[in-house]
């Protein structure tokens, strides 16, 4: 009797608004998953395999939610820095 083992493989390629932001996103994942940098660009990718679709979905959701949280923080910090440099008239 032959058994077929299927695996679910997901790959995500990530590039942010700047190389520094892309690196920050990659750094946020380094303890959870291997980050694969594209040496000729400012992109990285992550990939993983799971034997069950529901496990793939769980891993995917966790990684993407982490990326969204870090990206939101980077946007907030960027907005904050822009506010520091704005000139407002003194009353």
């Amino acid at each position: 009797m032959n058994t077929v083992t299927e695996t679910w493989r997901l790959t995500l390629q990530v590039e942010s608004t700047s190389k520094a932001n892309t690196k920050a996103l990659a750094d946020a994942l380094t303890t959870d998953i291997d980050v694969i940098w594209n040496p000729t660009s400012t992109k990285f990718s992550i990939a993983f395999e799971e034997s069950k679709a529901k496990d793939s979905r769980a891993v995917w959701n966790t990684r993407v939610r982490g990326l969204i949280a870090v990206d939101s923080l980077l946007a907030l910090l960027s907005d904050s820095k822009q506010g520091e440099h704005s000139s407002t008239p003194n009353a």
Side-chain angles (χ1 to χ4, degrees), residues 26-35 63:
D27 289 347
L29 294 172
T30 56
T31 60
D32 297 332
I33 198 163
D34 289 334
V35 174
R63 301 311 174 258

Side-chain angles (χ1 to χ4, degrees), residues 19-91:
K19 187 173 183 176
N21 284 357
T22 302
K23 179 159 179 12
L25 291 171
D27 289 347
L29 294 172
T30 56
T31 60
D32 297 332
I33 198 163
D34 289 334
V35 174
I36 304 150
W37 278 96
N38 182 336
T40 60
S41 74
T42 59
K43 300 175 185 176
F44 71 88
S45 61
I46 58 171
F48 54 89
E49 289 185 25
E50 297 291 335
S51 61
K52 297 179 182 177
K54 68 179 182 174
D55 293 340
S56 291
R57 183 188 61 78
V59 171
W60 175 266
N61 284 343
T62 300
R63 301 311 174 258
V64 171
R65 285 182 182 142
L67 288 170
I68 290 168
V70 172
D71 188 58
S72 295
L73 177 59
L74 292 170
L76 181 66
L77 292 173
S78 175
D79 289 346
S80 172
K81 284 183 182 180
Q82 288 176 3
E84 289 175 8
H85 300 295
S86 67
S87 59
T88 54
N90 292 332

